[in-house]
Amino acid sequence: MTDHESTIDHESTTDDERDEPPMEAVRYADGSIGFPRHHRGPNGAKPVDTVDLSERTATVVTWTTSTATPPGVREPNHLAIVEFDLDLEDDDADSTVRALGQLTTGTVESGETVRPVYVPELREPGVGIKLTESQSWDGYRFEPV
Amino acid sequence: MDTDRVAIIGASMTQFGQREAWIRELLAEAALACLEDAGVEPGDLDHCYVSNMSSGEFEGQGGIMNMLAHDIGALGAYTQRVDQTSSSGGAGIYAAWQSIASGASDMTLLVGGEKMTHRTTGESTDIIASITHPEEYKHGVTLPSFAGMTARHYLERFDAPRESLAKVAVKNHRNGVDNPHAQFRTEVDLETVLESPIVADPLRLYDFCPITDGSAALLLCPESVAREHTDDYVVISGVAGATDTHVVHERPDPTVMNGVVESGQAAYEMSGYGPEDIEVAELHDMFTILEFLQMEGLSFAEQGAAWELVAAGVTDRDGDLPINTSGGLKSKGHPLGASGVAQGVEIYEQLLGSAGPRQVDADVGLCCNVGGFGNCVITTIMEVGA
């Protein structure tokens, strides 16, 4: 673990310490659900509702550990695509939604259960090519349950 | 009426690799070589397209299409820069084809190029990763990390051995030995690939293409005009593009690139050819796993079975379907905006019988140029002219 990764990890907070934003998936008018939000769904349907994923658990679909990371990104960078099963009662709605995010650890397996953990700064803003003001830099890592 | 088909009458590519030349010189080098190859004067050009992803970000140079037109003496020609990330070259072929097919131009020069190696690997990776969605970018996602996650899922789901990916690298490096313009002209063995440093687990260094400087060019015109210049030309039988989700994790199946599937189907339909008719193909092997996904998306193999064809030698130069006879992006190099054009150069040379020691027996060939991690794809099918 590099010094930079250590710094970012120590900035992780608990529910008691801060007002964490939701991890919002979007439900579209045709029943499809997606993360992140788009202006329209895959079939052109308008967004009609949101679903907070931050208190739910997910299953690891696949993962990697990246050892060649860009400026401002921890090295190594553990990443995963995870799938949330929303267990919705509406038969017409999608029941799963996927997200990509950093992992809190490199020891994970496909199929493992994880939960979102809020991090105020996932990579160092202003170091890479994107302007600091152009996007948010906080978000959720996934931690094995 | 066959005279309205779009022909290619000239092709060229510069040396790929680490070059001292900047984007301006790289583009001019390929452009002038292509015109000379066809025996066409710069003043004869109606349109001039430049495929390039990020000359502004890499070098701080904008307006490169106008710069090229002036530098090669093609003043008066309509110019346009074509950016479709890593598939800018393929998109340039599509734009150049449209210019001829529409009747807007009787002579169109397409030049693709990128200057990258003066940047550090981290800087280049970040410029390329800037194409990702902000929700992905803030996690430090890179294109190689997408490849790592996809490769893991493919290997686990289809019970494919790790060695099968390494065999793609071995094959393409072997082909690159015979390409005088390739960045790497040395063979690698399985052991070297499998013991190289991990970049995005389970993928290692030799599963990835290098960072490259270079340029390539094609000259297009109506078939009736082609016949005035030469007896040896290639016809674009089909060309089509398609997009997939920008956010990679929103795809229902991580092992399916829908942009490949849809652009391939459209190109097959337009050309009248099917996957069984393709005799040589250049696929976008930016990462070894992408060769599997494109083989399957283009129906050269069933889903989850491409690795078996590679293992059986079907895609070797002397196999039933030679893939990446140029060495592919893997060995030849990947100067972003040039790669799709260079794929076309290889198929052009293969179909005209001018590929030297890389030559295979083919009358119909295909190129598949992938942008982003499958965000946008161009598939082009070419055949020998009458």
Side-chain angles (χ1 to χ4, degrees):
Chain A
M1 179 183 290
T2 65
D3 290 344
H4 182 61
E5 181 184 13
S6 175
T7 299
I8 292 178
D9 280 338
H10 288 162
E11 289 172 0
S12 300
T13 57
T14 66
D15 291 354
D16 297 335
E17 292 173 323
R18 64 180 301 113
D19 188 18
E20 298 171 1
M23 183 181 178
E24 274 189 347
V26 175
R27 191 200 317 263
Y28 299 95
D30 63 354
S32 61
I33 298 178
F35 176 85
R37 179 191 184 94
H38 300 284
H39 293 289
R40 293 289 186 275
N43 303 309
K46 293 181 178 179
V48 294
D49 197 6
T50 60
V51 179
D52 184 10
L53 304 176
S54 64
E55 300 297 324
R56 298 171 182 266
T57 58
T59 303
V60 174
V61 176
T62 186
W63 62 277
T64 191
T65 293
S66 174
T67 59
T69 60
V73 178
R74 63 180 184 165
E75 186 179 332
N77 191 22
H78 312 297
L79 294 158
I81 293 174
V82 304
E83 182 170 279
F84 292 86
D85 188 346
L86 303 179
D87 196 22
L88 299 175
E89 295 178 358
D90 183 356
D91 291 339
D92 294 330
D94 285 351
S95 60
T96 61
V97 63
R98 289 181 178 173
L100 174 144
Q102 295 178 350
L103 291 163
T104 59
T105 173
T107 54
V108 70
E109 298 290 339
S110 300
E112 197 166 341
T113 302
V114 293
R115 70 180 183 95
V117 178
Y118 180 73
V119 179
E121 191 175 289
L122 292 163
R123 67 184 289 177
E124 190 176 351
V127 175
I129 191 171
K130 289 204 176 185
L131 294 179
T132 302
E133 302 79 11
S134 69
Q135 67 167 83
S136 65
W137 302 90
D138 66 332
Y140 286 85
R141 284 184 180 149
F142 300 114
E143 178 182 69
V145 174
Chain B
M1 179 169 126
D2 63 357
T3 52
D4 61 359
R5 297 197 301 178
V6 176
I8 301 175
I9 62 170
S12 71
M13 62 180 286
T14 68
Q15 179 65 48
F16 277 16
Q18 189 168 3
R19 299 284 307 272
E20 290 187 5
W22 295 93
I23 189 68
R24 176 184 169 196
E25 288 79 22
L26 290 170
L27 294 174
E29 181 183 340
L32 292 172
C34 184
L35 292 171
E36 185 176 339
D37 180 54
V40 170
E41 296 298 321
D44 294 333
L45 296 179
D46 293 325
H47 286 196
C48 178
Y49 295 86
V50 173
S51 295
N52 171 263
M53 174 175 155
S54 296
S55 64
E57 292 83 350
F58 276 110
E59 190 177 318
Q61 180 65 62
I64 56 176
M65 59 289 182
N66 300 324
M67 186 166 64
L68 176 67
H70 194 171
D71 274 343
I72 64 171
L75 294 176
Y78 167 78
T79 63
Q80 183 179 324
R81 175 172 171 260
V82 182
D83 169 17
Q84 204 188 75
T85 67
S86 287
S87 59
S88 297
I93 292 176
Y94 201 178
W97 174 86
Q98 288 172 323
S99 77
I100 301 295
S102 68
S105 170
D106 271 346
M107 193 63 71
T108 296
L109 177 65
L110 166 65
V111 187
E114 208 81 44
K115 169 68 176 174
M116 305 170 70
T117 63
H118 56 292
R119 293 284 199 164
T120 66
T121 298
E123 290 171 343
S124 294
T125 302
D126 194 39
I127 290 171
I128 297 168
S130 71
I131 68 171
T132 60
H133 190 281
E135 185 62 37
E136 299 172 319
Y137 182 81
K138 69 183 181 184
H139 286 274
V141 164
T142 59
L143 276 288
S145 60
F146 279 134
M149 287 186 281
T150 303
R152 179 182 304 285
H153 192 70
Y154 186 98
L155 297 179
E156 290 179 347
R157 178 174 170 188
F158 300 118
D159 199 23
R162 173 64 185 84
E163 290 75 13
S164 63
L165 288 166
K167 287 179 179 176
V168 173
V170 171
K171 169 181 69 72
N172 293 348
H173 272 270
R174 188 189 309 132
N175 288 340
V177 169
D178 290 323
N179 187 343
H181 299 108
Q183 184 165 3
F184 297 129
R185 299 189 64 193
T186 52
E187 290 196 41
V188 295
D189 57 25
L190 271 178
E191 188 177 48
T192 301
V193 177
L194 293 171
E195 292 182 359
S196 61
I198 287 177
V199 173
D201 191 19
L203 298 182
R204 295 169 179 268
L205 182 64
Y206 277 97
D207 288 294
F208 297 90
C209 69
I211 293 169
T212 309
D213 306 326
S215 182
L218 294 168
L219 186 64
L220 289 76
C221 63
E223 189 170 15
S224 58
V225 175
R227 287 173 176 153
E228 296 171 6
H229 287 271
T230 180
D231 294 329
D232 299 318
Y233 61 89
V234 160
V235 167
I236 296 178
S237 318
V239 58
T243 54
D244 202 340
T245 65
H246 179 214
V247 178
V248 172
H249 70 249
E250 292 195 78
R251 296 170 194 170
D253 185 340
T255 65
V256 174
M257 287 186 156
N258 213 36
V260 173
V261 174
E262 294 197 2
S263 69
Q265 287 176 346
Y268 284 139
E269 184 175 344
M270 178 178 169
S271 69
Y273 293 114
E276 68 281 1
D277 299 313
I278 304 302
E279 295 166 309
V280 61
E282 287 286 300
L283 304 185
H284 192 96
D285 59 330
M286 186 176 183
F287 320 112
T288 51
I289 183 65
L290 289 189
E291 191 161 306
F292 290 172
L293 301 194
Q294 287 161 85
M295 287 175 64
E296 295 168 12
L298 293 165
S299 299
F300 296 146
E302 297 291 326
Q303 188 180 18
W307 68 271
E308 296 176 25
L309 298 187
V310 173
V314 172
T315 59
D316 287 354
R317 190 193 296 168
D318 59 357
D320 289 342
L321 176 59
I323 289 179
N324 286 327
T325 53
S326 70
L329 281 59
K330 181 71 199 68
S331 160
K332 184 178 59 191
H334 181 28
L336 306 167
S339 289
V341 183
Q343 288 180 322
V345 171
E346 177 68 11
I347 296 300
Y348 172 88
E349 291 185 350
Q350 288 288 357
L351 298 184
L352 293 187
S354 57
R358 308 188 311 282
Q359 187 64 51
V360 300
D361 183 17
D363 292 322
V364 180
L366 177 149
C367 333
C368 186
N369 192 198
V370 175
F373 198 74
N375 305 139
C376 44
V377 183
I378 301 285
T379 300
T380 307
I381 297 172
M382 302 180 187
E383 65 180 294
V384 178

